[in-house]
Amino acid sequence: MHAEEKLTYETWPAEPEKSTLEAKNKFLGFWFFLGGETVLFASLFATYLALKDKGPGDHVLAKDIFDLPLTFVATMLLLTSSLTSVYAMYHMKNFNAKKMNLWLVLTLLLGLAFLGLEIYEFNHYVHEYHHTFTSSAFGSAFYTLVGFHGAHVAFGLLWITTLIVRNAKRGLDLYNAPKFYVASLYWHFIDVVWVFIFTVVYLMGMVG
């Protein structure tokens, strides 16, 4: 089946994200990309664990500044956004572009809310505790790891927004379906990374 062929619900393949050679190549390339990203984040986690207790004698500690309820709310927002992206891909597989876009927009709103809370958190640490990127090794490691993840969230939001806008009139076809699917996989990846950040940085930081 050609990517430009007129499709209907009846002719829409069960796995549109893998139904063409180009789609399979995109899928394979994405997994290689994800492997590199995993190694990069693993390096940042290792650096954070090595430096989280390092700094001047009067530097702030994680347990002194972290606002766990706020971070928990942010975590729930991001995990919920992962669920909405699953619903979006469900409707993509059922050839319903309208409902797919609706759930993707909800994903974007939840992601924006998460990013807003993270920016508020950083601003609070800087102004309330003078916890900055250069205040200590802990500060440098914390802002690098968490900020790098935030940058990935921002990129994911831009990626999904661009797909929605560019394909608003086109609808679904075998050319753009793999793009939506890969973007959703990327979104799941940054959600999984955040679960590790929440556990290693925030939960362990509060009891460390």
Side-chain angles (χ1 to χ4, degrees), residues 34-190:
L34 215 57
E37 288 285 281
T38 301
V39 172
L40 183 54
F41 270 109
S43 300
L44 293 178
F45 273 107
T47 301
Y48 174 81
L49 290 172
L51 299 178
K52 67 184 182 67
D53 298 318
K54 307 295 183 181
D58 60 345
H59 83 284
V60 296
L61 301 175
K63 61 183 178 181
D64 298 326
I65 64 173
F66 285 164
D67 185 348
L68 205 54
L70 177 69
T71 311
F72 179 76
V73 171
T75 300
M76 290 300 100
L77 287 171
L78 198 60
L79 292 181
T80 304
S81 75
S82 194
L83 179 62
T84 57
S85 69
V86 168
Y87 283 127
M89 292 306 98
Y90 169 80
H91 290 297
M92 182 271 286
K93 288 177 177 287
N94 283 280
F95 199 55
N96 192 327
K98 185 176 180 180
K99 288 187 177 180
M100 179 193 73
N101 286 330
L102 173 62
W103 285 103
L104 285 177
V105 168
L106 290 175
T107 301
L108 291 174
L109 292 175
L110 290 166
L112 281 171
F114 168 85
L115 208 55
L117 286 180
E118 187 167 279
I119 292 171
Y120 169 81
E121 176 192 21
F122 285 4
N123 183 68
H124 178 69
Y125 293 161
V126 170
H127 290 90
E128 185 70 21
Y129 300 102
H130 305 290
H131 177 56
T132 66
F133 184 82
T134 57
S135 61
S136 65
F138 165 52
S140 299
F142 170 78
Y143 285 112
T144 299
L145 174 58
V146 182
F148 191 64
H149 175 267
H152 277 68
V153 173
F155 176 76
L157 293 173
L158 180 62
W159 185 357
I160 295 172
T161 300
T162 301
L163 285 175
I164 293 174
V165 172
R166 290 194 63 183
N167 296 283
K169 295 182 178 179
R170 181 174 186 168
L172 279 169
D173 57 35
L174 298 183
Y175 175 74
N176 60 29
K179 295 184 177 182
F180 283 109
Y181 188 75
V182 168
S184 75
L185 289 179
Y186 176 84
W187 194 255
H188 291 313
F189 170 72
I190 58 179

